[in-house]
Amino acid sequence: MRRAVFLGALLLAGCARSATPQADFAQTPSRHAFTYDRSNYVETESGRPGGTLRVSVASDTGTLDLQTIAATNPKWLGRLISDNLVYLDDKGNITPWLAKSWDISPDGKTYTFHLRRDVTFSDGTPFDAEAVRANLDRVRDPKTRAAMTTAYIAPYRSGRVVDRYTFEAQLSEPYTPFLNVLAQSWLGMLSPAVLKKSPAEIASHPIGSGPYVVASYRRQEGIAFTKRRDYAWAPDFLRHKGPAYIDRIEVGFVPEALIRYVSLASGQYQLTIDAPPQNAREIRANPELVLGNRVNLGNPTRAITFNVSRAPFDDTAVRQAFALAIDRTGIARMSGFGEFAPTQAFLSANTPYADLDAKTGGPDLERAGRLLDRAGWTGRDEDGYRTRGAQRLEATVLLTETAMLSPVVVALQADVKRIGFKLDIEQVTTPQLTDRRKRNAYQALGPGYWHTNTPDGLFIVYHGKQISTPAFIGQNTTMLHDARLDALLSAARANRDPAELARLYAAAQERLVTLMPAVPLYENHTLIAYRRSLRGMVYDTSHNMPFLTTAWLAESSS
């Protein structure tokens, strides 16, 4: 019997050693349907004000203007700088934040937000309906070049200031995920005054209404934040009153994984947002450290994304056979050092309406071979690769240039060779990759994922409307345009009935298993680690990243 998994349906056992109760995926790898205990998301004790928190991250994104970037790692920074109209609770329900309440018209096209009246941006500008209009219009404006956030609010047509603290959003079509995406930190509100400045100024010194203010930002060196002492409007669900506890947060960019671990263990940093999975065992064994292994909502990590408009991946049988050859468990263990959970699903296990019975299958080399035989790939060349006539079964996967070749793709090469498929690897620069995508000049792309707090991530990645055009930058790099799948995902966008959403998303995931435009590999994990002297750690409900408003230091740090 097929089952759709709702966020909040099942609880995964927590790590007993953690100062903050938290699920630990690696300790129970057989349970893929899960959520985290409510105590992971709300303040449970008052903290001690003061001190400086030092945080290490793997890389610098080059901008603090989160409305304009598609990078996933900086989403935790958004919770320092800005606030959102709404927030999610631990079950995925919409709760108040800057908007005290909202009304949705019967046709689902008009959202009326009733705003708080006591909020100001850090430059002193009041937060009001005009500020909401300025932010949403900026994201929608093609000149902003905010590809990801524009995609999230694509149905937003116009905004109207009803009165100073009432804002009306008009949509072109019913769009059920609208409130969910407004809860994500990429759509945090910025001061209308700063939005009038140059993109460079916004990128280096964004001004939000959040609990912290950017004190300095030195690219490739670090970021410093100072506390807003008049902050008093954390989301209701967080159960935090007043300003944040920690006075100052200093972020250092530390690309070397071993140094991130050693500097945390030595006390140079108290928190690392990018804990190295290869050091997870040492972190767990250290009584002074806590490891958090969190699964992100949305789409899991894909091993490979096929271009279904280009041979040989224009043949569904070839794509299915390729997927059946992959040893997900082995690759996940190798890549994540036992921390990553393999999956065959097209939605992350903790995403609403994830259907864990919609499995791609494998590894099954015999079945893969039968599929290729029926597709006409019955010959073999001198190297053992399959042939059809004079043609070898071969394809190239594009990767961006890095210092080291992706171990996932190298493992894929070995796995599919077992069924007679030759997978070549081509590394290109990021601009070259962008150009090849625009020209549809690729057969496949390397590992990737799409994090979002709604199952509408399937629409973003696989709907035919999300294929890029000269006037639109889309995220459907598979070039898939399947009428049945498109109809299911479009219907889900317009529906608010949970039972019908479960049916639509289950059917969409089953269809994706048949079409196989990409190969799900393992859950999209975020590993963080921190010292036990950092107390009050909670996680953001949309992003499963630290929400540092509630955090405090048990030991003095200055």
Side-chain angles (χ1 to χ4, degrees):
M1 180 178 179
R2 187 168 302 283
R3 68 188 187 279
V5 178
F6 294 80
L7 192 63
L10 294 171
L11 171 66
L12 193 68
C15 176
R17 301 187 59 184
S18 173
T20 300
Q22 57 188 286
D24 188 332
F25 207 107
Q27 291 189 356
T28 53
S30 64
R31 295 182 64 184
H32 284 209
F34 75 101
T35 185
Y36 301 92
D37 187 80
R38 188 183 184 93
S39 61
N40 280 239
Y41 299 110
V42 298
E43 181 171 297
T44 57
E45 61 177 343
S46 296
R48 186 172 72 189
T52 297
L53 174 67
R54 297 182 179 89
V55 185
S56 68
V57 297
S59 61
D60 181 8
T61 59
T63 179
L64 296 181
D65 184 0
L66 267 66
Q67 291 183 355
T68 64
I69 62 177
T72 186
N73 266 17
K75 54 189 180 282
W76 71 281
L77 294 174
R79 296 305 189 211
L80 302 179
I81 301 167
S82 59
D83 302 307
N84 287 62
L85 286 175
V86 294
Y87 194 69
L88 302 186
D89 70 9
D90 59 314
K91 301 295 191 295
N93 301 309
I94 310 298
T95 68
W97 196 349
L98 297 184
K100 297 186 299 181
S101 62
W102 48 91
D103 304 306
I104 306 173
S105 63
D107 65 0
K109 295 182 181 181
T110 303
Y111 286 69
T112 304
F113 296 93
H114 307 283
L115 309 177
R116 293 185 64 136
R117 298 167 180 247
D118 59 343
V119 177
T120 61
F121 294 99
S122 59
D123 62 357
T125 304
F127 168 77
D128 55 18
E130 179 57 34
V132 179
R133 187 202 62 76
N135 276 267
L136 294 185
D137 283 1
R138 183 210 186 206
V139 170
R140 185 194 58 181
D141 188 346
K143 296 178 182 177
T144 307
R145 303 180 65 83
M148 185 181 76
T149 45
T150 299
Y152 278 146
I153 65 164
Y156 172 72
R157 185 179 63 192
S158 63
R160 184 170 75 91
V161 176
V162 178
D163 59 45
R164 186 170 185 185
Y165 295 105
T166 308
F167 176 76
E168 184 180 276
Q170 294 285 345
L171 307 186
S172 58
E173 59 188 14
Y175 179 46
T176 300
F178 187 54
L179 292 175
N180 289 73
V181 297
L182 289 178
Q184 298 190 72
S185 67
W186 294 290
L187 285 158
M189 298 287 109
L190 298 178
S191 168
V194 80
L195 295 182
K196 296 176 182 178
K197 296 185 178 181
S198 70
E201 289 178 282
I202 305 173
S204 61
H205 200 84
I207 296 172
S209 63
Y212 287 90
V213 177
V214 178
S216 64
Y217 174 33
R218 302 179 305 280
R219 286 177 175 79
Q220 304 305 324
E221 293 184 33
I223 318 168
F225 299 91
T226 55
K227 176 170 69 176
R228 270 196 76 177
R229 299 188 181 275
D230 61 344
Y231 185 80
W233 42 83
D236 293 349
F237 178 75
L238 197 61
R239 296 182 184 171
H240 176 85
K241 303 298 181 183
Y245 295 116
I246 295 170
D247 286 343
R248 183 177 174 88
I249 297 174
E250 296 178 352
V251 180
F253 305 123
V254 184
E256 300 84 359
L258 179 60
I259 296 178
R260 285 198 305 279
Y261 163 64
V262 171
S263 59
L264 178 73
S266 68
Q268 180 181 352
Y269 291 98
Q270 295 113 324
L271 166 66
T272 180
I273 297 297
D274 302 292
Q278 57 267 42
N279 297 114
R281 182 174 298 179
E282 292 92 333
I283 293 171
R284 283 196 174 90
N286 189 330
E288 295 182 354
L289 302 180
V290 178
L291 180 74
N293 184 346
R294 314 292 293 192
V295 172
N296 290 305
L297 299 163
N299 301 0
T301 299
R302 302 182 295 274
I304 191 169
T305 298
F306 304 122
N307 184 342
V308 304
S309 70
R310 299 285 301 273
F313 297 128
D314 56 346
D315 189 334
T316 304
V318 172
R319 302 195 300 269
Q320 292 174 338
F322 192 106
L324 286 168
I326 296 174
D327 177 11
R328 291 173 174 82
T329 300
I331 296 177
R333 185 182 300 116
M334 172 200 68
S335 301
F337 297 85
E339 295 296 319
F340 295 173
T343 183
Q344 298 184 21
F346 279 88
L347 282 174
S348 296
N350 55 347
T351 304
Y353 308 109
D355 187 348
L356 305 187
D357 287 332
K359 297 181 178 179
T360 60
D364 189 336
L365 302 185
E366 290 186 6
R367 184 180 166 201
R370 292 194 297 270
L371 284 168
L372 293 178
D373 286 343
R374 288 199 292 270
W377 298 97
T378 54
R380 295 276 183 170
D381 64 15
E382 63 276 10
D383 296 317
Y385 295 110
R386 285 179 176 262
T387 58
R388 187 171 61 187
Q391 185 180 9
R392 171 189 273 180
L393 183 56
E394 183 175 11
T396 298
V397 56
L398 286 188
L399 301 176
T400 54
E401 284 182 333
T402 57
M404 296 180 62
L405 193 60
S406 168
V408 169
V409 178
V410 173
L412 290 184
Q413 276 187 315
D415 281 353
V416 299
K417 185 176 182 180
R418 297 181 299 173
I419 60 170
F421 193 111
K422 188 175 190 300
L423 183 66
D424 302 312
I425 300 173
E426 182 180 356
Q427 292 182 281
V428 296
T429 64
T430 298
Q432 288 173 331
L433 181 66
T434 300
D435 175 67
R436 296 276 287 272
R437 281 183 54 179
K438 286 181 179 179
R439 295 188 291 110
N440 191 22
Y442 60 95
Q443 292 171 292
L445 300 176
Y449 54 84
W450 188 267
H451 158 64
T452 183
N453 63 1
T454 161
D456 191 60
L458 296 178
F459 187 103
I460 297 291
V461 176
Y462 299 114
H463 195 286
K465 285 186 176 179
Q466 296 300 308
I467 296 173
S468 293
T469 68
F472 171 73
I473 301 174
Q475 299 301 325
N476 182 355
T477 56
T478 70
M479 310 303 287
L480 179 67
H481 202 313
D482 179 74
R484 180 178 170 189
L485 178 66
D486 288 355
L488 290 167
L489 295 176
S490 294
R493 276 195 154 192
N495 203 291
R496 282 185 276 174
D497 177 61
E500 183 63 8
L501 284 169
R503 184 192 71 80
L504 290 167
Y505 278 121
Q509 290 165 85
E510 185 174 3
R511 184 63 177 161
L512 283 166
V513 168
T514 299
L515 296 170
M516 200 62 65
V519 182
L521 180 60
Y522 48 73
E523 296 290 355
N524 174 14
H525 290 262
T526 293
L527 268 65
I528 72 160
Y530 57 95
R531 300 189 65 81
R532 288 189 182 276
S533 57
L534 178 58
R535 304 288 296 275
M537 280 285 290
V538 302
Y539 292 86
D540 172 52
T541 50
S542 286
H543 303 303
N544 251 334
M545 293 286 273
F547 199 158
L548 295 178
T549 303
T550 66
W552 55 281
L553 294 165
E555 298 174 359
S556 177
S557 177
S558 60

